Amino acid sequence: MADARETILSSIRQALTTTHLPAPPTVAPTSPPPAGALDFAALAAQFTAELTALSGECRLVEAPEVPAVLAEIARARGAVAVLAWEEDQLPVPGALAPLREAGLSVHAGELPAAAGREASLRAAEPIRLGITGAEAAIAETATLVVASGPGRPR
């Protein structure tokens, strides 16, 4: 085993002495267009198309509709529990209330660092619906940018 490890490390050391890294591109990065110049409807349509191609589902709704839509999604999926960010970290106030009113159990995603961690993971394992916010969406790849932190577990 030590021989295999040394062989691999030796190969890496050798490669580091002979590897040629290409020069950085000479094209200057461009700044994003001003927010007023963006066509949000077109970006939303592109995001939806990309997510659909990945077998995802996208619903474009106004903020006041979000709580009812979340409850509808939970019902449609037969959810009895959800993992969610803390309510004050979600971008839509009151988003979790309809879920609780419908009898769903809302669990915080925070896990203890040591004692009780395994039990918390086991309890969360069957939960199939999570509710978070997003900092940004990238239309070209249907990617969501999500920042974790206190009340916003990964």
Side-chain angles (χ1 to χ4, degrees), residues 25-107:
T26 56
V27 177
T30 60
S31 297
L38 296 175
D39 181 350
F40 288 107
L43 290 171
Q46 183 179 6
F47 182 92
T48 300
E50 295 296 331
L51 186 61
T52 301
L54 296 169
S55 299
E57 179 183 333
C58 184
R59 298 189 193 189
L60 301 174
V61 298
E62 297 295 323
E65 301 170 77
V66 169
V69 170
L70 289 175
E72 175 191 323
I73 291 169
R75 272 192 306 277
R77 290 186 172 42
V80 295
V82 298
L83 281 175
W85 280 358
E86 296 295 326
E87 187 114 30
D88 65 344
Q89 296 297 314
L90 293 171
V92 177
L96 300 178
L99 300 174
R100 289 186 179 103
E101 290 165 8
L104 274 80
S105 177
V106 178
H107 298 267

Side-chain angles (χ1 to χ4, degrees), residues 2-19:
D3 290 332
R5 181 178 186 275
E6 190 51 45
T7 300
I8 292 169
L9 290 175
S10 176
S11 175
I12 292 171
R13 285 187 202 100
Q14 179 61 32
L16 288 173
T17 64
T18 59
T19 300

